[in-house]
Amino acid sequence: MNDLNDLQSKIESLQNEIDFKNGLISILAHDSKSLFGNFVWLIEAVEQKTISEQDFFRLLPQVKSDAQKNLQTVQDSTAWLKTQYGDYKIKPEKIPVVDLFHDLQEKYVADLKQKNLNFYFKGDTKAFVETDRILLQYVLDKIVNNAVKYSLPGQDIYLQEVTEDHQVVISVVDSGTGMDEKFLSNIYTYENPVFQGTAGEIGVGLSLKIVKNFISLMQGSIKIVSSESTGTNVSLFLPKLKE
């Protein structure tokens, strides 16, 4: 019976991996075609003088937005691909959680200032987590990016740490726009809608899918609790630092 359960688990894991790769390929193909198609159309329109200079410059912000979205797709895909070379193994190291906070605080200083957002740390400043630094930094970066994207001016964002018996829980908490519960079940699939940020930011909807993949590589888990107009709490459950 145990062998049957193990086999079923492996089949499901393999199917999830196949779905993930197929979805990734679909996103790359669709977005690239859309972006370059827009470029070609715009250039031809200018060459054939079917649009005025005023219309040309009016369309540039949208072209820039599409290019930025596609660049993010490529960067996310590249990060994931690096974990697929050969027999990838994580490289655990002892990481102070507060150092992760300071790195994020420094990276997002301009975005936080632009939106007048406050970013705070809650927890034990001496707490550590033992895991792959590159994967964890990627995961936290994407979660904080979403928190900033969906927060309103003047609101607070927290990076929280709680050390429990067998794990360290790192959470990113915001009080932004949140999302309806009906969307949470599809948050890691390719069927979930792409929401617009409070300043018009648009994401490709790929980051959280890669985040979940990376969390699995770190032998951890992720939980998202969100409520529309109330905010979102994203918690990472990671194995506790070995004494």
Side-chain angles (χ1 to χ4, degrees):
M1 186 65 179
N2 288 335
D3 290 341
L4 182 60
N5 290 335
D6 290 342
L7 179 60
Q8 182 64 34
S9 178
K10 290 179 180 178
I11 291 174
E12 291 178 358
S13 177
L14 182 60
Q15 185 60 54
N16 288 335
E17 184 175 344
I18 291 172
D19 290 343
F20 179 84
K21 291 179 179 179
N22 288 340
L24 182 59
I25 291 171
S26 296
I27 286 178
L28 287 171
H30 176 272
D31 287 0
S32 297
K33 181 179 179 181
S34 175
L35 174 64
F36 290 112
N38 288 341
F39 276 145
V40 171
W41 174 84
L42 190 59
I43 292 170
E44 288 181 344
V46 172
E47 290 176 340
Q48 298 169 10
K49 297 182 179 180
T50 57
I51 64 170
S52 65
E53 287 190 11
Q54 183 179 4
D55 287 336
F56 171 77
F57 286 108
R58 181 175 57 83
L59 289 169
L60 283 182
Q62 182 59 50
V63 174
K64 179 183 177 181
S65 176
D66 291 342
Q68 289 174 328
K69 186 181 73 171
N70 280 267
L71 177 60
Q72 186 63 64
T73 302
V74 172
Q75 291 173 335
D76 289 343
S77 303
T78 301
W80 176 77
L81 285 170
K82 288 178 180 178
T83 68
Q84 303 302 302
Y85 297 145
D87 185 18
Y88 180 84
K89 294 182 179 180
I90 67 170
K91 300 174 181 177
E93 61 178 284
K94 188 177 179 181
I95 311 169
V97 179
V98 73
D99 283 3
L100 296 169
F101 166 75
H102 289 312
D103 289 343
L104 290 163
Q105 188 179 43
E106 181 178 352
K107 178 173 183 178
Y108 283 93
V109 61
D111 299 273
L112 293 167
K113 183 177 181 180
Q114 184 178 15
K115 273 195 167 184
N116 189 30
L117 301 173
N118 303 303
F119 189 33
Y120 300 110
F121 177 79
K122 277 186 178 182
D124 184 358
T125 56
K126 296 181 180 179
F128 290 85
V129 63
E130 186 172 13
T131 191
D132 189 293
R133 180 184 291 271
I134 293 176
L135 295 186
L136 182 56
Q137 285 179 326
Y138 176 93
V139 167
L140 288 175
D141 175 51
K142 297 307 173 186
I143 297 173
V144 170
N145 183 277
N146 277 344
V148 171
K149 185 184 300 181
Y150 300 115
S151 289
L152 295 165
Q155 293 185 326
D156 299 333
I157 299 172
Y158 294 91
L159 181 72
Q160 298 181 173
E161 173 279 329
V162 176
T163 300
E164 300 179 344
D165 291 340
H166 304 293
Q167 62 188 357
V168 176
V169 184
I170 302 176
S171 304
V172 176
V173 183
D174 69 67
S175 52
T177 57
M179 69 182 78
D180 192 284
E181 187 177 351
K182 65 183 179 182
F183 295 120
L184 286 178
S185 59
N186 293 325
I187 197 68
Y188 303 112
T189 72
Y190 294 92
E191 301 172 359
N192 64 303
V194 176
F195 299 99
Q196 191 174 53
T198 55
E201 310 98 323
I202 297 178
V204 71
L206 174 64
S207 296
L208 279 180
K209 301 170 186 65
I210 295 180
V211 160
K212 186 177 182 182
N213 186 272
F214 282 6
I215 289 293
S216 296
L217 288 174
M218 291 186 283
Q219 299 180 356
S221 61
I222 181 171
K223 180 180 180 182
I224 300 178
V225 177
S226 187
S227 179
E228 196 169 14
S229 301
T230 300
T232 301
N233 183 331
V234 182
S235 297
L236 311 177
F237 300 86
L238 300 168
K240 186 179 177 182
L241 173 67
K242 298 175 182 177
E243 302 294 344

